[in-house]
Amino acid sequence: MAKVAVVGGGFAGLVFARELASLGLTIELYEEHGRVGMPEHCTGIVSGRTVDIIGREARETILDSYNSLEIRFRGRTIALLDVGGVYRLDRVRLEDLLLESLRSLGGRVLLRTRVESVGSDGAVRTNGGEARYDAVILADGVHGSLHRRLGIGYMGSHHYGLNILVPGGGESAIMVDFRLEGGVAFSWEVPSSRGFSVAGAMGTLEGVKRYYESLGTRALKVYGGRIPAGPPAEMLWEGRVFVVGDAGGLVKPLSGGGLYPNAKAAKLAASFIRRGLDVVDALAGSLSIVSDELRAQYAVARLVYGTRVLESISRAIGDTPLRLKLDYDTHHQLLLSTLAQAGPLPSLKLIAAALKGGGVEAPLSLLKILYHSTVSTYRRLAAFTLSKV
C-alpha cells in the first residue's frame, strides 16, 4: 500500500489526507504548529455541492444558509442571482473535524513538526531525520518556502482579503459590491442569524486597510491574509511532489475561495485510485483537471477586474437588475449563464457592453473561457479513459 506524506495541516492538506486515508493508504501529516485551523482567514462560503464533496465534516459545521446573491457595481445592484443552497461554514471547526477523521482512519499526525526540506524523489526531512514516501502532497500555504525551493507551485501576485465581524445580522442575500477603485476589487457582506454580519474586502493591502478604517469602531473581530490572484501554477508537481491549496494557486480567482477546488481535486484523486491508478498518476490527473477549470475562472476574473466591462454592463441593463441562476462554484460559467438566461436582445447588449468595456482584452478572455472549458472537458474524458485501461 502506498505511503504518502502531507506537509501542511490547513484545509487543503487535511482534505487530501482524509480522502487518501479513507482508501487505506498510509498517511503521515506534518504540521509545524500545535493545532490546525489557525490562524483563521476565510469567510467560509461554499455551495451545497462543495458541502457534499467534503461530507460529514462540512455538514456538521454549517452556521448559516443562503439562497440568493446580490451583485452590485459601485453601490448599484446589477444582478440578483439564485444560487440555490449556499452555506457559511465554521472553518476552524471544519479543520478540527477533518483532523479527527484522519486520525480515526489510521492517519499519523505529527504536530509541532517542522519540515526542513522536501525532495522530488519523495524524501521529507525534519530536524528529527528523513523519511521517504511514494508521494508527497505539499500544502505549505501562500507564504511557504518549500514549494518555492523546488521551483513549483504558485509564484504570482497576491490580493489581500480581510474579514470583519460587525454587529447586526438577519437572514437575507449575500451582497457583493465590485468597486474596482481605491485599492478594493470588491467588498462583501454576509449576514448571519447569530446577531452579526461578516463584512470584508479584497484588494491591495492599503485598500483593505482603508476599508477597515471606514467601518470605524464597529469591528467585533478581524481576520484575513494574502490570497493568490491566479491563475494556478503551471507546474504543480515535480517527480513525486505535488503542490495543493494556496501554495499551488488552487483558489477561485474571482473570489479567492479554496474549499471547492481542493475538495474536488482530493475527491478526484481518490476516485482515480479506486479505478486502479497509482497515487502519482491519480494526483497528477486530478490536479490537471481542477487547474484547467480554475484557469477558465481566471479568464472571467481578468474580464471583470482588468477592464471596464462592469461599468458598460451596468449602463446596458438599465434600471432593472438581471435575475439569473448561478452555480456558485463555477464562476467561469457566470458570463455564459448570463447570456443564456437574459434572452436574445439583452444578450446582444451584454456582448456589446463586454466588448466595449473590455477593449482588446475582452475577446481574448472570452476565447480563454471557451478554450479552457473545452480542454478541461477533454482532460476529464482522457483521465477517465486512462483509469479504465
Side-chain angles (χ1 to χ4, degrees):
M1 188 61 66
K3 184 178 180 182
V4 179
V6 178
V7 181
F11 173 79
L14 286 166
V15 75
F16 270 91
R18 192 278 312 268
E19 283 296 326
L20 298 185
S22 70
L23 302 176
L25 276 63
T26 300
I27 305 297
E28 294 187 347
L29 174 75
Y30 295 85
E31 168 55 50
E32 65 178 330
H33 299 106
R35 62 158 301 172
V36 300
M38 299 297 287
E40 186 177 5
H41 65 278
C42 176
T43 313
I45 303 297
V46 298
S47 72
R49 182 150 60 108
T50 299
V51 169
D52 290 340
I53 292 172
I54 298 171
R56 175 189 62 82
E57 297 86 353
R59 288 190 290 272
E60 292 186 8
T61 57
I62 292 174
L63 297 174
D64 293 288
S65 62
Y66 312 90
N67 288 310
S68 57
L69 176 65
E70 181 178 351
I71 302 293
R72 298 180 182 179
F73 175 66
R74 295 178 181 171
R76 178 170 178 260
T77 300
I78 62 174
L80 296 171
L81 306 178
D82 177 357
V83 290
V86 171
Y87 303 91
R88 186 171 71 88
L89 306 183
D90 182 337
R91 276 294 307 276
V92 175
R93 184 161 179 256
L94 173 62
E95 294 183 18
D96 282 338
L97 290 181
L98 286 171
L99 184 69
E100 289 178 12
S101 294
L102 174 60
R103 282 175 164 151
S104 70
L105 291 166
R108 184 185 178 202
V109 178
L110 297 96
L111 298 177
R112 298 186 180 86
T113 303
R114 181 179 178 81
V115 173
E116 303 294 340
S117 67
V118 172
S120 60
D121 60 352
V124 174
R125 301 173 185 88
T126 67
N127 56 12
E130 177 179 313
R132 291 187 178 272
Y133 298 88
D134 297 294
V136 178
I137 297 173
L138 195 51
D140 59 338
V142 69
H143 302 287
S145 61
L146 295 173
H147 70 274
R148 294 174 184 274
R149 290 181 207 163
L150 288 171
I152 57 176
Y154 188 75
M155 311 284 182
S157 60
H158 295 83
H159 297 304
Y160 286 84
L162 190 68
N163 290 281
I164 308 161
L165 266 61
V166 295
E171 297 181 7
S172 59
I174 301 171
M175 183 276 291
V176 174
D177 192 344
F178 288 93
R179 300 184 175 198
L180 308 181
E181 58 186 356
V184 173
F186 71 93
S187 62
W188 59 85
E189 185 171 344
V190 182
S192 172
S193 58
R194 299 166 183 254
F196 62 84
S197 295
V198 183
M202 187 172 80
T204 66
L205 182 59
E206 294 74 18
V208 297
K209 281 182 176 179
R210 282 194 292 269
Y211 176 83
Y212 170 70
E213 291 166 357
S214 72
L215 295 179
T217 58
R218 298 176 61 209
L220 303 173
K221 179 181 178 182
V222 181
Y223 55 97
R226 288 203 300 172
I227 305 167
E234 291 290 341
M235 292 286 292
L236 286 171
W237 64 86
E238 175 68 30
R240 297 181 180 277
V241 180
F242 299 83
V243 185
V244 303
D246 287 359
L250 295 182
V251 302
K252 294 187 289 186
L254 199 61
S255 68
L259 297 184
Y260 164 69
N262 289 283
K264 179 176 180 178
K267 186 69 74 173
L268 277 173
S271 71
F272 291 156
I273 292 170
R274 288 191 185 95
R275 293 171 184 169
L277 270 68
D278 65 33
V279 65
V280 169
D281 288 340
L283 289 169
S286 68
L287 292 179
S288 292
I289 290 170
V290 172
S291 62
D292 274 337
E293 181 178 329
L294 292 176
R295 288 188 184 94
Q297 293 196 21
Y298 181 71
V300 171
R302 285 289 299 273
L303 193 62
V304 171
Y305 295 140
T307 71
R308 297 176 59 191
V309 65
L310 284 179
E311 183 177 345
S312 299
I313 288 176
S314 179
R315 290 196 300 267
I317 65 173
D319 296 326
T320 304
L322 294 167
R323 292 182 178 272
L324 308 166
K325 289 187 177 182
L326 174 68
D327 182 341
Y328 183 79
D329 287 326
T330 52
H331 293 160
H332 63 296
Q333 298 296 337
L334 175 59
L335 184 58
L336 301 179
S337 174
T338 298
L339 297 178
Q341 297 176 62
L345 184 59
S347 294
L348 290 174
K349 288 183 178 180
L350 289 170
I351 291 172
L355 295 178
K356 180 180 178 181
V360 297
E361 183 75 22
L364 180 61
S365 292
L366 289 169
L367 287 173
K368 284 181 178 178
I369 294 168
L370 295 173
Y371 169 75
H372 285 301
S373 295
T374 303
V375 168
S376 181
T377 299
Y378 278 114
R379 283 197 172 176
R380 284 186 179 92
L381 291 172
F384 179 77
T385 302
L386 178 63
S387 71
K388 293 294 187 181
V389 174

